[in-house]
Amino acid sequence: MIVRLLEFLCRRFLDILGTQMSFASPLFLWFFMPATLAVYWLLPPRLRNAVVAAASLVFYTWGAGPYTLLLLAAVAVNYAAGLALGSDRWRDRPEARRGVLLAAVGCDVAVLAVWKYAGFAGRQVDALAEALGLGHTPVVDLALPIGISFFTFHHLSYVVDVYRGSTPAQRSPVRFVTYIAMFPQLVAGPIVRYHEMAGQLGDVRRDRFGDLASGFPRFALGLAKKVVVADSLAPIADAAFAQAGGQINTPTAWLGASAYALQIYFDFSGYSDMAVGLGTMLGFRLPENFDRPYTAYSVTDFWRRWHMSLSRWFRDYVYIPLGGNRCGAPRTYRNLLVVFTLCGLWHGADWTFLVWGLYHGALLVAERLLGWDRPPAAAWSVALRRGATLLLVLVGWVIFRAESMPEAWNMLRAMFTWCPGELDEFVAYAANRQRVVVFTVALAVVVAPAGPALGSLIEEGRGRAARAARAAVTWVAAPCAAVLVAAGTFSPFLYYQF
């Protein structure tokens, strides 16, 4: 009996070691995270950055394999560029400094372009050549390294901040690797601008128990969002969108679109909560990424609340350098369209992402033209504006999620022109009683009247409600999520693919 038990445990351990490591995997929750925190706690404070850097490279290597070399090459190029840009010998040579900046930015953009967009561009050229009767052209499809969009933006932030003089160049390679490769935010954000982290990298004072007490409940909240809510809604959304290429009726389309809107919010905000909580446990304060986005009164307000670190990045490094809103209305509208075109492409190399970005850019331009980007004055209009904004965002999510534009149009047609019929049998099977309850509760949570974001309340709140929330996620939500993880019901985070 004991031999069989040991054999089972060994097999289970080997199975766990053979899985991909994500925040919601047994390998991470039961081995990697406890081991990293234990080493972090036991070693002297001056070694904090070294511990985080080493753990981060192990974490990334486990998931990316040989693509770790690409990450390290990018780290080396940008570290060297930062030293050159920050050197006193270059202060009186503005042309040379600009050349170094352009070279570093060019390398970063080239890495992203080759690995993320070369295949898409090749397929478009091949389709055009075939349409013109010229035959097929070669198409090179490269595997997408995980987190490439995020660590590229971190590198760009670093070299631009140093060039602008916003912060000194980082001379310690260990601290620089810690900033770029920090495993809580390496794969799916939040996107951390260098000037936000520069001071923290040099401050190794630690309140171990305080950081753990503050960070773990936030991590537990994110884990519950992901495993209990997002993963419960995923089968409904997947089953509905699988019908988008054929005959799909109106009830199926609306249920699928709504389920995906809830899934992507709880999945991505759950990851962000886990990242912020992990960062806190390691002594870092990462920026917030969500602030109840489905309570927004306009699409402009939505982008102040959704993926806030991405919005701030595009604002500081693209929108403002293009002129922002300082050069008249036409250029402001152009700048908005440029930013959201890039935002769509940043999410993925496909026409659906490009159209989604243009769609949001056009909505922001329309709101500025109509004056709807400002808060509503009358109380009665708040609910109306919130409902209209949520509907517009929902349309965007259909385009974002669909496999192709024809499937997106088919889904939207079913949503806005009556196509009678009962729920598709696969969708009805996926929408069992437990998932319907989760769907209903999740919908009620995201459309409830505006209030403080739960993540911030749990981590920073001091009142009775905050203490009750911390106790609930620590002693109820986290164990429930751990049981689901142990049962193997988790799935990869949606933003791992970006």
Side-chain angles (χ1 to χ4, degrees):
M1 186 68 175
I2 295 177
V3 173
R4 290 182 178 179
L5 177 61
L6 290 174
E7 182 180 0
F8 170 78
L9 292 176
C10 288
R11 287 179 179 176
R12 180 59 178 154
F13 178 72
L14 292 174
D15 289 341
I16 290 173
L17 290 180
T19 62
Q20 184 180 13
M21 183 156 51
S22 75
F23 291 173
S25 67
L27 177 61
F28 182 88
L29 293 173
W30 301 337
F31 297 98
F32 183 84
M33 185 175 74
T36 301
L37 290 174
V39 174
Y40 169 75
W41 274 40
L42 292 173
L43 292 180
R46 66 178 183 277
L47 297 178
R48 179 191 67 168
N49 290 323
V51 171
V52 175
S56 299
L57 291 177
V58 170
F59 177 85
Y60 190 77
T61 302
W62 200 283
Y67 283 112
T68 306
L69 298 175
L70 179 65
L71 170 63
L72 292 175
V75 165
V77 168
N78 287 274
Y79 174 71
L83 292 179
L85 292 170
S87 174
D88 292 337
R89 292 179 297 178
W90 293 68
R91 293 296 178 187
D92 298 328
R93 301 171 61 188
E95 294 299 327
R97 290 187 78 241
R98 190 177 296 112
V100 172
L101 174 68
L102 293 176
V105 169
C107 286
D108 293 331
V109 173
V111 167
L112 189 62
V114 169
W115 267 271
K116 192 164 187 174
Y117 304 110
F120 174 71
R123 286 190 294 273
Q124 308 317 307
V125 172
D126 179 60
L128 179 62
E130 186 179 8
L132 295 175
L134 302 176
H136 289 284
T137 59
V139 177
V140 178
D141 275 319
L142 300 174
L144 184 66
I146 60 174
I148 187 172
S149 298
F150 290 90
F151 71 69
T152 298
F153 271 28
H154 289 150
H155 282 131
L156 291 171
S157 166
Y158 171 71
V159 293
V160 172
D161 282 356
V162 174
Y163 176 79
R164 290 174 174 174
S166 304
T167 187
Q170 180 54 254
R171 299 191 176 280
S172 167
V174 173
R175 291 181 184 178
F176 186 69
V177 171
T178 302
Y179 162 63
I180 295 296
M182 186 185 300
F183 71 87
Q185 48 79 33
L186 172 62
V187 175
I191 297 172
V192 184
R193 294 167 294 174
Y194 179 69
H195 62 264
E196 296 174 325
M197 293 297 297
Q200 297 187 53
L201 293 168
D203 183 5
V204 295
R205 294 172 297 175
R206 296 183 296 181
D207 177 9
R208 292 181 174 91
F209 290 103
D211 289 342
L212 181 63
S214 180
F216 182 78
R218 184 71 181 270
F219 179 85
L221 171 66
L223 181 64
K225 279 183 174 182
K226 163 62 179 171
V227 176
V228 178
V229 182
D231 285 353
S232 295
L233 300 174
I236 302 175
D238 292 344
F241 276 90
Q243 310 304 315
Q247 296 296 322
I248 183 170
N249 57 56
T250 299
T252 298
W254 274 101
L255 179 60
S258 302
Y260 182 71
L262 294 172
Q263 178 201 359
I264 194 171
Y265 169 68
F266 281 96
D267 188 284
F268 193 22
S269 70
Y271 180 96
S272 296
D273 284 329
M274 297 171 81
V276 172
L278 280 167
T280 300
M281 286 189 278
L282 294 170
F284 294 98
R285 297 296 182 266
L286 302 181
E288 295 292 338
N289 219 14
F290 290 89
D291 184 15
R292 304 199 64 214
Y294 292 154
T295 66
Y297 58 80
S298 66
V299 177
T300 303
D301 188 38
F302 172 80
W303 280 101
R304 297 190 189 108
R305 298 168 176 269
W306 176 274
H307 205 346
M308 297 187 295
S309 63
L310 180 66
S311 300
R312 289 191 295 264
W313 196 97
F314 273 112
R315 179 198 65 196
D316 291 348
Y317 300 109
V318 180
Y319 181 69
I320 292 177
L322 285 174
N325 57 3
R326 304 186 305 273
C327 303
R331 289 189 64 181
T332 298
Y333 304 149
R334 181 209 66 180
N335 296 342
L336 287 171
L337 290 173
V338 168
V339 164
F340 277 89
T341 299
L342 295 175
C343 180
L345 289 173
W346 179 86
H347 280 84
D350 205 312
W351 288 109
T352 54
F353 296 114
L354 177 60
V355 172
W356 174 79
L358 287 170
Y359 168 77
H360 274 274
L363 288 176
L364 265 67
V365 170
E367 287 184 348
R368 293 218 174 199
L369 286 169
L370 298 172
W372 290 354
D373 57 321
R374 295 183 290 272
W380 62 267
S381 65
V382 173
L384 183 62
R385 291 272 297 274
R386 285 183 59 186
T389 300
L390 190 57
L391 179 62
L392 291 172
V393 170
L394 189 66
V395 170
W397 285 139
V398 171
I399 301 171
F400 188 91
R401 171 61 177 81
E403 295 294 328
S404 65
M405 285 308 304
E407 290 189 8
W409 301 139
N410 198 35
M411 190 96 166
L412 292 171
R413 178 190 57 80
M415 290 172 64
F416 293 102
T417 61
W418 178 246
C419 300
E422 298 181 352
L423 285 179
D424 175 82
E425 59 177 325
F426 295 103
V427 178
Y429 177 79
N432 59 33
R433 182 176 302 176
Q434 175 189 345
R435 290 171 181 156
V436 168
V437 170
V438 172
F439 177 92
T440 304
V441 173
L443 183 62
V445 167
V446 300
V447 301
L454 184 57
S456 299
L457 177 68
I458 284 177
E459 187 169 353
E460 301 172 1
R462 293 294 179 265
R464 183 178 300 176
R467 291 193 295 270
R470 281 193 288 269
V473 297
T474 301
W475 304 111
V476 179
C480 289
V483 169
L484 293 175
V485 169
T489 58
F490 67 96
S491 62
F493 287 93
L494 292 177
Y495 262 66
Y496 271 29
Q497 62 187 296
F498 305 133

